[in-house]
Amino acid sequence: MVHDIDYRTPSWSASAMLTALRSPLAGRLASSMTELRYHGHRTGRPIALPVAYARDGDRVLVRVGRAKGKTWWRNFTAPTPLSLWIDHHWVPGTGHVLSPGDTDYGAVWSRYRAQFPRTPAEGSDPLVVVTLGHTTDPQPGSSTASRGLWWRWFTRVTTGELLGFAVPAVAGAATAQSSTATAAAVLLAAGATEGAVLGWFQAHVLRTVITGFVRRDWIVATMLGAVTAWTVGLVPV
């Protein structure tokens, strides 16, 4: 199945966005953005990337902003198979590029603009128009599964926060009489531990819902985030 393939992303930022989209916290973000997967026309390489989209009946419209600096959309100059993650399903489709000057471009641009009113009235960016097929992996009882996912996320993150924050709490008490430099160093190390503990608990849930999720990368990211937060917090104001 399409989601069992090891897809590559074009950048770290794209990987981060896909992680956010598939997390329990995606919320409204997932209503306007999704994951698009396809195989490179020349390389055959499986690619995954986040895209903003507008739904138009059995079609999905994807605007290619700053198209000159991007290449992925050129894979769809001719009708090409792809998959989109929509409504908790992988949906196959066929995408093709519609460029300014093409017969239907103006009408399709208006459809896209109806959902994104801040879009310029006159289009100048290519649109990838996706005609959807049938879902490939329906998930019966997805509402119940979603509630279960939220509960697991809540309990794991709460546990991770409690255990993780205990480390800097103990470190702070232990260094209360120490020099400022020593206390800061110990608290930063404790903050890194806090981030690692929280990241481990979060990753335990995220790996069950995000394809290709790398637990180590997530834990390192939460460690860096925690150290950054503690660094800012230790700066005197």
Side-chain angles (χ1 to χ4, degrees):
M1 297 172 70
V2 64
H3 55 284
D4 293 328
I5 300 174
D6 184 17
Y7 281 79
R8 300 185 183 184
T9 54
S11 65
W12 281 102
S13 59
S15 296
M17 179 59 73
L18 291 181
T19 298
L21 284 171
R22 297 296 298 277
S23 79
L25 302 179
R28 294 179 61 183
L29 178 64
S31 66
S32 61
M33 296 196 69
T34 189
E35 180 175 347
L36 183 151
R37 292 181 168 186
Y38 68 96
H39 287 77
H41 179 67
R42 294 183 179 179
T43 65
R45 181 180 299 169
I47 304 295
L49 69 160
V51 295
Y53 73 98
R55 191 73 178 266
D56 181 32
D58 63 350
R59 300 190 304 180
V60 165
L61 313 177
V62 179
R63 176 188 177 188
V64 187
R66 300 178 181 177
K68 290 183 179 180
K70 301 175 181 178
T71 59
W72 70 268
W73 60 276
R74 300 182 189 278
N75 287 277
F76 301 96
T77 52
T80 301
L82 55 76
S83 292
L84 290 168
W85 180 256
I86 297 179
D87 298 332
H88 306 290
H89 298 81
W90 280 111
V91 184
T94 301
H96 71 278
V97 172
L98 204 58
S99 300
D102 290 345
T103 303
D104 296 331
Y105 181 84
V108 175
W109 182 267
S110 296
R111 292 276 192 173
Y112 182 88
R113 188 168 180 267
Q115 296 188 43
F116 294 95
R118 295 185 179 181
T119 303
E122 296 294 329
S124 59
D125 296 324
L127 292 166
V128 175
V129 180
V130 181
T131 302
L132 299 175
H134 298 290
T135 56
T136 58
D137 60 343
Q139 299 177 355
S142 59
S143 177
T144 301
S146 178
R147 288 195 296 271
L149 178 61
W150 271 108
W151 177 247
R152 283 190 291 127
W153 177 259
F154 173 77
T155 55
R156 299 281 176 157
V157 170
T158 300
T159 302
E161 282 284 16
L162 289 173
L163 294 177
F165 194 73
V167 179
V170 172
T175 58
Q177 304 302 319
S178 301
S179 66
T180 301
T182 299
V186 172
L187 285 174
L188 288 178
T193 303
E194 175 196 359
V197 172
L198 176 61
W200 187 89
F201 277 92
Q202 290 176 333
H204 192 77
V205 178
L206 295 176
R207 69 184 179 85
T208 66
V209 294
I210 300 176
T211 303
F213 180 78
V214 181
R215 180 185 297 185
R216 179 191 58 199
D217 291 349
W218 183 265
I219 293 174
V220 170
T222 56
M223 286 178 61
L224 293 176
V227 170
T228 300
W230 275 96
T231 301
V232 173
L234 291 171
V235 174
V237 294

